[in-house]
Amino acid sequence: MKLDQEAIDKLKNGDDTTFEKLYHDTKRGVYGIVFSILRDHDKTADVLQDVYMKVLIKINQYKVGANFNSWIMQIAKNYAIDIYRQEKKHTHIEDEVLEQVVSEDRDLPDEKSKILMMLDNLTEDERIVIILKVLDDLTHKEISKIIDKPIGTVLWLYQKGLDKLKDYYGEYDA
């Protein structure tokens, strides 16, 4: 997705139709990358709104003709990492409480818990690559640009993540 100068001008002037199209075209990928970092649907929904506000504020930094999807994903990733780091500093959960919650989830997991447990087995990079590939159907090349890693590394992370998910799913069914 590329924005031309006319679309950028419309966004600057508060054109709702242009913003709605932009939001509709990018929301799945933005949600996916933020969720892969924060792993909380409520926080992700809040951060999603902030990301689009940042996009409108930083629209002057977008280079006409560049891949807009990669640009917005980079903003989303950086902002989500900032939020994660801030919360990590302020959140102190005792290990016993955390273990109790995890063991309760493993007793009777619903679909949402199952997916979260599967994603918890992945590293942050693996989670981001899997979610961007599956949710937003981005190419490995696009993902490579977004996470600023060589395409070979993205392919390796994707395959490694899929293997872990297959192993976990097999263990879960057994």
Side-chain angles (χ1 to χ4, degrees), residues 33 36-37 70 73-74 77-78 81 124-130 132 138 140-151 153-155 157-158:
I33 198 161
S36 72
I37 295 167
S70 293
M73 293 292 189
Q74 193 65 44
K77 179 184 130 193
N78 291 341
I81 289 170
E124 182 179 327
D125 285 340
E126 291 166 348
R127 249 191 329 274
I128 290 171
V129 170
I130 295 284
L132 288 176
L138 295 178
H140 291 107
K141 186 176 181 180
E142 291 170 324
I143 295 169
S144 170
K145 289 178 184 175
I146 291 169
I147 67 171
D148 196 28
K149 294 196 184 300
I151 194 162
T153 302
V154 170
L155 290 167
L157 288 167
Y158 182 68

Side-chain angles (χ1 to χ4, degrees), residues 1-5 7-8 11 22 26 58-75 142 145-146:
M1 170 183 205
K2 295 181 181 179
L3 294 183
D4 58 13
Q5 191 60 48
I8 292 171
L11 285 172
L22 162 89
T26 60
K58 295 182 174 195
I59 195 68
N60 290 327
Q61 296 175 8
Y62 172 74
K63 295 178 185 168
V64 176
N67 186 331
F68 184 80
N69 204 31
S70 293
W71 183 74
I72 194 171
M73 293 292 189
Q74 193 65 44
I75 290 172
E142 291 170 324
K145 289 178 184 175
I146 291 169

Side-chain angles (χ1 to χ4, degrees), residues 154-172:
V154 170
L155 290 167
W156 178 75
L157 288 167
Y158 182 68
Q159 189 58 52
K160 189 175 169 192
L162 285 180
D163 290 344
K164 283 183 181 179
L165 291 174
K166 287 176 189 174
D167 289 346
Y168 182 82
Y169 188 75
E171 287 175 21
Y172 180 78

Side-chain angles (χ1 to χ4, degrees), residues 111-122:
E111 200 62 32
K112 191 176 180 181
S113 297
K114 209 184 320 181
I115 291 168
L116 289 174
M117 288 187 304
M118 290 172 74
L119 290 174
D120 279 343
N121 288 323
L122 304 177

